[in-house]
Amino acid sequence: MAKGLLPVAIAVETLLTPDILRPARYLGNELGSVHKLWNEAIVRWALTYPEVYEVGASNLGHIILYSILNTQPRQLCDRAYLPAADFVTKLRTTNTPLFAVESRQALIQFDILGFSLSYELGATNILEMLDLAGIPLTAQERNAPGVWNVETGSYPLIFAGGQTATSNPEPYADFFDFIALGDGEELLPEIGLVIEEGKLAKLSREALLLDLAQVPGVYVPQFYDLTADGSVQPNRAEVPARILRRVATPMPAYSIGLVPYVETVHDRLVIEIRRGCTRGCRFCQPGMLTRPARDVEPEAVVEAIEQGMRATGYNEFSLLSLSCSDYLALPAVGVEIKNRLKDENISLALPSQRVDRFDENIANILGGTRQGGLTFAPEAGTQRLRDIVNKGLTNEELLRGIKTAYEQGWDRVKLYFMIGLPGETDVDVIGIAETVRWLQQECRLQGRKSLNFNITISNFTPKPHTPFQWHSVSAAEFQRKQTLLKSEFRHIRGLKVNFTDVRISAMEDFVGRGDRRLTPVIHRAWQLGAGMDAWWESLERAYGAWSQAIAEAGLTWKYRQVENGEWNIFAQPENQTNHPAVLSANAEANTPENPSFYDAPLPWDHLDTGIDKQWLKDDLQRALAEATVPDCSFEGCSHCGVCSVDFGHNVVVSPPAIPEFIGQFVPNQQRVQRVRVWLGKQGDMALVSHLDLMRLFDRAARRASLPITFTGGFHPGPRIIPASALPLGVTSSGEIVDFELTQSMDLEVFTTKLAAQFPANMPIYRVEQVDLSAPAATQLLEQAEYEITVGLVDEEEGIPFNLQLWQAWVEMVLNSQEIWVEQTTKSGKTRAINLRDRLFHLELIPSAYSAFPPSHPSLRYIGSCRNDGTLLRPDALLRMLEQVANQKLQLFKTHRIRLILQTEVL
């Protein structure tokens, strides 16, 4: 491509045929999306999230980095997500490369692609995205001599960030040009400046990567080698021997960003209140990799939430931290926000909290008309084992927190436990069931049903950079302990228990503590179809793919060590043999009883996370002695090594006074005014579903500060009532929606406010005040007028349609008194319907849609459209024409011209 020319954008709409589910995933037209001019940017980023849109678009890190990068001058940041299976098929069959959703440019046109790697088995999705983009999978394949310039054919730089990438990137090292370690808020803009300077200086790819390797937090794997002793060492003098993890201060203002039209996994505003955790749970990798703890000032949190709720229109917000309860200002912040937004039906979700700090204040901010679920993680069933893992939770604290939840109205609580922890005995395993039974017995109130629990039993998986990184448990032992627990749970009522599959845990361990020898395993597993979704859709198929990949790489012996629970999982037998004698001899040389075992190099030792390895060894010994370590945010320093110039120190904000709680939301059901709105749904908005459109109406009304009336009941909702649901993919210029208000508004003011919050492709044509005693539009609806473009299924392209023949078919329909079809009801029964009774007008018209060739005629018709099920949809009209023409027809385009109410018919 010649320099300065704009690449041709992908024609996305042509790919979003009716067989594609949730097509709005791929539009890039959300509120908050940024559309920068391509040719004005020097550095072009694409944040490529290796999960489907519903997961990626609601990820807070993804939103924050997207917002920050788009504030950088001369830089552009777009987004891409893993397509769903149906769209993957569409891309491959049409030879269309994977594209970024806003610019709709192929990913291969960008300078840099950044993947989030937050799960050990997630790299296969990254390979799928690279392959769909037409980009070679390994850094070596992408290397080329000469000036690096994507515009003249160079491949983009590919990097990964996220928890797994920071923890142990070695199994994935060959796939990436570099790894971003730690927090990205400050690191990514620095990377962008280096790339900008490198482009202007016309550096080669290798020279540019060498410059990037000088940036603290950037690890370039090709400048390091796996050595014979298992350590990773530099292969050139210009790069550091150890790479520093970056630490940044949370910036909640950047959390106010994308508002997807599609319902996402975390469909709410998320504001980070605390980054890092110093509780010191010995199994917890995030707690070790995010130190020190950094509180956000309460005023900044309150301001971000209040501004964010006004700007996004969400009806729910979440406060995010590894342990929200350790944010001492939580009660004050939560009550303040609930008080300020009391009349707006706003609810709060807390993803993680300490049961020992759950009290009435927390219950107040979580409660209300849409009371959310409660999740606590005791982790172990006995006090002894909780001390071993340094959970910092007593039985008395556990009971007090659960009892408070029950007394405040919760009838079901979710609990997380783990099995397979170091030092665990069968008494500890059975202790999980005994703890649950004890909590149920203690939480009883007259007139209330007993407390129920949703329980998740996870298999402990050792993680790098934790005191338990040297521990391992056999798959057979996990299965035995699961069987033991299942037997105990059979005697307890009111439980819903979920056990993690042992094979998933073993595979996570195998990859998570692996080294560069696993690159061909991951590559082959992807080729065999082992995407992340495969674990949930077909566990047998996913496990089979990984097992086959391991076998083909000659690493079955290594996986067996993990599966058998041997501590010595990184030693490699001489000559790659798996002879039992060799394995036995090797195991004797390196055992946990041998002090040198803990000093053996680990694949992640070259990453400087701030945690001293000797401290991890010492803390493991403290664990085995059942000794606890205090939380250094609130007590004395534990001397882990993090607090320093490079990583900073704990920042703990003193809690402000808790305001008086003024009460939960009471829905205002007063109906003072009804406003009827006629609007359109044009262009790409046709690909937004009806349910997603209803959320759009609610959020637009909230952003516009319209005084919407609420319904009553346990789940009050806004009284925004559409006359009829518009099918997905259908455009319209005549939708009708009733808005009921708690106070009277000038219609011009109402229209101006609402139109300002609607997308450009949802114009408002007309607004009227309607008497509250009159029926709603949905009750008055009688008919609908459509314009449809149709054609013969087997017709030849480019041949003009026979006007006389189509006119004859139209007249045959009009002259018919009866055209019967069989219709299947929701209950599965079939009944005969005379469709002719539902048709009031039909005519052949010149095509209004130039995208279709002359061989495709257009028809305009008026048919029944009542909400009692008396309808004449476009596909039903097609069936009528097929009967009289004795031809198979297809529908190309549907446009609803208007909805017709009873008053207009009369």
Side-chain angles (χ1 to χ4, degrees):
M1 184 183 66
K3 184 176 180 180
L5 292 180
L6 182 67
V8 177
I10 305 295
V12 176
E13 282 79 5
T14 63
L15 302 171
L16 299 177
T17 49
D19 57 317
I20 300 300
L21 296 175
R22 308 194 81 176
R25 295 163 164 167
Y26 310 107
L27 297 177
N29 62 347
E30 313 95 320
L31 177 70
S33 58
V34 181
H35 297 260
K36 284 190 168 184
L37 295 177
W38 182 270
N39 277 351
E40 292 184 2
I42 296 176
V43 178
R44 302 179 183 103
W45 298 72
L47 292 182
T48 39
Y49 203 93
E51 289 248 30
V52 293
Y53 175 88
E54 289 87 335
V55 177
S58 62
N59 178 270
L60 180 59
H62 179 73
I63 293 170
I64 289 174
L65 294 177
Y66 171 78
S67 300
I68 288 175
L69 287 172
N70 272 315
T71 64
Q72 306 304 305
R74 304 177 302 280
Q75 302 203 19
L76 168 156
C77 184
D78 208 328
R79 301 167 288 129
Y81 306 93
L82 177 71
D86 57 354
F87 202 57
V88 168
T89 301
K90 178 72 71 173
L91 292 175
R92 293 198 185 280
T93 55
T94 59
N95 293 316
T96 303
L98 186 59
F99 54 89
V101 295
E102 285 152 11
S103 65
R104 302 187 176 181
Q105 297 294 334
L107 292 183
I108 202 170
Q109 304 286 355
F110 286 81
D111 295 306
I112 181 167
L113 307 185
F115 288 93
S116 176
L117 185 57
S118 55
Y119 177 58
E120 291 88 347
L121 305 181
T124 51
N125 281 359
I126 294 176
L127 300 188
E128 177 75 356
M129 292 182 73
L130 288 174
D131 186 64
L132 286 169
I135 298 172
L137 303 185
T138 65
Q140 184 177 3
E141 294 174 278
R142 295 190 294 270
N143 282 339
V147 175
W148 175 77
N149 189 339
V150 171
E151 294 182 25
T152 57
S154 301
Y155 288 114
L157 295 173
I158 310 298
F159 82 99
Q163 180 179 308
T164 298
T166 298
S167 163
N168 178 22
E170 291 308 297
Y172 327 99
D174 290 353
F175 301 126
F176 298 107
D177 294 298
F178 67 91
I179 305 291
L181 302 177
D183 298 338
E185 289 95 329
E186 297 170 2
L187 176 56
L188 264 58
E190 291 174 20
I191 289 170
L193 289 175
V194 173
I195 293 174
E196 181 179 347
E197 292 171 1
K199 288 186 71 173
L200 295 175
K202 295 181 168 46
L203 296 182
S204 67
R205 190 184 194 96
E206 182 179 1
L208 179 57
L209 288 172
L210 192 58
D211 279 358
L212 285 169
Q214 312 311 310
V215 178
V218 174
Y219 168 46
V220 183
Q222 62 186 267
F223 297 151
Y224 298 78
D225 292 327
L226 176 65
T227 62
D229 67 354
S231 64
V232 176
Q233 300 292 341
N235 57 29
R236 54 198 306 163
E238 303 96 319
V239 298
R242 299 194 75 204
I243 304 93
L244 199 70
R245 169 180 66 92
R246 291 296 292 268
V247 174
T249 300
M251 295 182 280
Y254 286 106
S255 302
I256 306 169
L258 295 168
V259 184
Y261 294 133
V262 173
E263 184 178 12
T264 59
V265 172
H266 304 294
D267 204 25
R268 61 183 75 95
L269 176 70
V270 181
I271 298 295
E272 189 177 22
I273 56 175
R274 190 177 203 248
R275 188 172 301 180
C277 179
T278 50
R279 280 280 179 170
C281 298
R282 291 169 174 136
F283 56 83
C284 181
Q285 186 184 74
M288 298 296 171
L289 286 182
T290 58
R291 295 184 176 200
R294 288 142 286 161
D295 285 356
V296 179
E297 287 290 341
E299 295 82 2
V301 174
V302 172
E303 183 179 350
I305 295 169
E306 190 167 22
Q307 288 183 0
M309 299 304 283
R310 309 283 189 206
T312 63
Y314 280 121
N315 63 4
E316 183 176 3
F317 69 95
S318 176
L319 301 178
L320 183 66
S321 171
L322 286 175
S323 178
C324 288
S325 305
D326 287 333
Y327 182 65
L328 300 182
L330 175 64
V333 166
V335 172
E336 177 66 26
I337 287 296
K338 290 281 281 194
N339 286 347
R340 289 192 189 188
L341 304 178
K342 175 181 178 294
D343 297 327
E344 299 181 32
N345 195 18
I346 299 295
S347 61
L348 164 64
L350 293 178
S352 59
Q353 50 189 310
R354 299 274 306 189
V355 65
D356 50 315
R357 285 195 170 151
F358 185 80
D359 58 18
E360 189 173 338
N361 288 316
I362 305 297
N364 283 337
I365 64 177
L366 287 174
T369 55
R370 291 184 289 121
Q371 190 179 69
L374 277 181
T375 302
F376 302 118
E379 308 297 359
T382 64
Q383 188 64 58
R384 184 190 73 88
L385 195 55
R386 285 198 291 270
D387 289 344
I388 286 177
V389 303
N390 204 48
K391 182 64 182 176
L393 175 67
T394 66
N395 286 330
E396 291 75 16
E397 290 168 334
L398 174 61
L399 176 60
R400 184 171 62 246
I402 298 295
K403 213 167 190 176
T404 299
Y406 184 60
E407 291 169 351
Q408 294 297 316
W410 276 269
D411 292 322
R412 181 176 292 273
V413 172
K414 181 181 287 187
L415 299 179
Y416 280 101
F417 293 94
M418 276 194 289
I419 56 175
L421 291 162
E424 183 181 64
T425 66
D426 284 358
V427 172
D428 299 304
V429 176
I430 294 173
I432 295 174
E434 291 178 343
T435 296
V436 172
R437 188 183 292 113
W438 169 63
L439 290 172
Q440 281 190 332
Q441 291 171 348
E442 294 294 323
C443 296
R444 296 183 183 277
L445 289 174
Q446 188 172 1
R448 287 271 304 277
K449 64 179 182 179
S450 61
L451 183 61
N452 293 337
F453 290 103
N454 288 348
I455 297 176
T456 296
I457 307 294
S458 300
N459 307 313
F460 166 69
T461 305
K463 303 290 186 181
H465 307 287
T466 67
F468 290 168
Q469 66 184 358
W470 292 280
H471 183 63
S472 199
V473 181
S474 71
E477 184 68 0
F478 276 131
Q479 290 168 340
R480 187 188 70 80
K481 290 179 177 181
Q482 286 188 356
T483 301
L484 185 62
L485 262 181
K486 289 175 183 176
S487 176
E488 291 292 324
F489 283 144
R490 288 193 191 101
H491 306 295
I492 306 176
R493 302 182 65 179
L495 299 186
K496 182 179 180 181
V497 186
N498 175 60
F499 289 87
T500 304
D501 193 280
V502 171
R503 291 168 294 181
I504 296 178
S505 302
M507 204 62 72
E508 289 174 357
D509 187 6
F510 175 73
V511 176
R513 293 194 290 175
D515 54 33
R516 294 192 187 187
R517 288 172 290 175
L518 296 192
T519 296
V521 173
I522 296 169
H523 189 184
R524 183 61 178 145
W526 163 71
Q527 290 177 324
L528 294 170
M532 273 176 63
D533 59 332
W535 286 104
W536 323 121
E537 293 180 358
S538 175
L539 192 146
E540 297 294 336
R541 179 168 62 86
Y543 180 74
W546 279 99
S547 299
Q548 182 179 335
I550 291 168
E552 291 181 9
L555 292 173
T556 299
W557 66 269
K558 186 175 187 293
Y559 179 70
R560 289 289 171 259
Q561 286 185 320
V562 174
E563 203 171 44
N564 293 334
E566 298 181 24
W567 286 47
N568 176 28
I569 64 169
F570 298 109
Q572 183 173 331
E574 294 180 8
N575 302 320
Q576 291 286 337
T577 180
N578 56 5
H579 190 279
V582 176
L583 288 175
S584 177
N586 219 34
E588 289 177 7
N590 272 313
T591 65
E593 289 74 25
N594 185 346
S596 64
F597 170 81
Y598 300 101
D599 295 324
L602 299 173
W604 49 87
D605 280 348
H606 60 298
L607 307 179
D608 185 0
T609 66
I611 301 286
D612 183 67
K613 188 175 181 180
Q614 183 60 49
W615 184 85
L616 293 176
K617 292 189 288 185
D618 294 342
D619 202 40
L620 176 60
Q621 297 308 312
R622 286 191 288 268
L624 298 178
E626 302 176 19
T628 60
V629 175
D631 185 340
C632 65
S633 287
F634 310 107
E635 299 184 49
C637 177
S638 62
H639 305 288
C640 69
V642 164
C643 290
S644 63
V645 173
D646 288 330
F647 299 99
H649 297 76
N650 291 332
V651 177
V652 179
V653 175
S654 298
I658 301 174
E660 181 182 353
F661 182 58
I662 62 176
Q664 300 290 359
F665 166 77
V666 177
N668 188 342
Q669 301 178 58
Q670 188 177 14
R671 299 165 63 229
V672 173
Q673 183 182 31
R674 180 188 292 158
V675 179
R676 184 159 295 162
V677 178
W678 282 258
L679 55 89
K681 194 172 179 229
Q682 308 282 4
D684 53 13
M685 291 306 297
L687 299 175
V688 175
S689 73
H690 177 67
L691 290 178
D692 292 331
L693 186 68
M694 292 306 298
R695 272 188 297 276
L696 186 157
F697 286 148
D698 180 25
R699 290 170 184 171
R702 289 174 180 274
R703 293 194 300 272
S705 299
L706 301 181
I708 298 293
T709 303
F710 281 92
T711 62
F714 290 106
H715 301 285
R719 293 191 65 86
I720 302 174
I721 309 160
S724 174
L726 189 68
L728 187 67
V730 176
T731 58
S732 174
S733 54
E735 297 307 289
I736 302 175
V737 183
D738 285 345
F739 291 78
E740 296 191 355
L741 309 179
T742 60
Q743 60 189 60
S744 183
M745 287 187 70
D746 178 80
L747 292 185
E748 187 174 339
V749 172
F750 174 92
T751 305
T752 301
K753 284 191 168 188
L754 187 61
Q757 302 304 328
F758 273 1
N761 279 333
M762 282 183 56
I764 294 177
Y765 302 121
R766 176 174 147 211
V767 173
E768 289 183 3
Q769 181 168 324
V770 178
D771 194 291
L772 286 166
S773 62
T778 186
Q779 299 169 292
L780 293 172
L781 186 60
E782 279 289 320
Q783 299 170 0
E785 183 175 2
Y786 287 90
E787 187 169 326
I788 61 175
T789 303
V790 297
L792 298 174
V793 170
D794 299 322
E795 67 188 352
E796 296 183 35
E797 286 294 328
I799 305 299
F801 72 92
N802 188 321
L803 177 62
Q804 290 76 20
L805 184 60
W806 277 92
Q807 186 62 52
W809 292 341
V810 167
E811 290 176 2
M812 290 171 67
V813 169
L814 293 174
N815 292 332
S816 300
Q817 296 299 313
E818 298 177 344
I819 299 180
W820 292 90
V821 297
E822 283 195 344
Q823 186 180 72
T824 302
T825 64
K826 291 182 179 179
S827 61
K829 297 179 180 179
T830 58
R831 60 174 182 170
I833 301 292
N834 180 13
L835 294 180
R836 183 62 186 86
D837 286 344
R838 302 180 178 188
L839 177 66
F840 305 105
H841 178 80
L842 176 63
E843 64 176 317
L844 190 66
I845 61 172
S847 177
Y849 302 100
S850 58
F852 296 97
S855 55
H856 296 151
S858 288
L859 301 167
R860 180 177 293 146
Y861 81 92
I862 297 176
S864 294
C865 188
R866 288 163 50 186
N867 284 312
D868 63 0
T870 307
L871 306 169
L872 185 65
R873 296 190 179 95
D875 60 326
L877 181 68
L878 218 62
R879 293 174 69 183
M880 296 172 70
L881 287 164
E882 286 177 336
Q883 279 199 28
V884 300
N886 199 24
Q887 296 273 1
K888 290 292 292 180
L889 305 177
Q890 55 186 322
L891 187 62
F892 292 107
K893 173 73 178 179
T894 303
H895 177 76
R896 187 146 76 185
I897 298 172
R898 60 181 176 133
L899 294 172
I900 304 172
L901 306 182
Q902 287 177 8
T903 51
E904 298 171 78
V905 174
L906 299 175

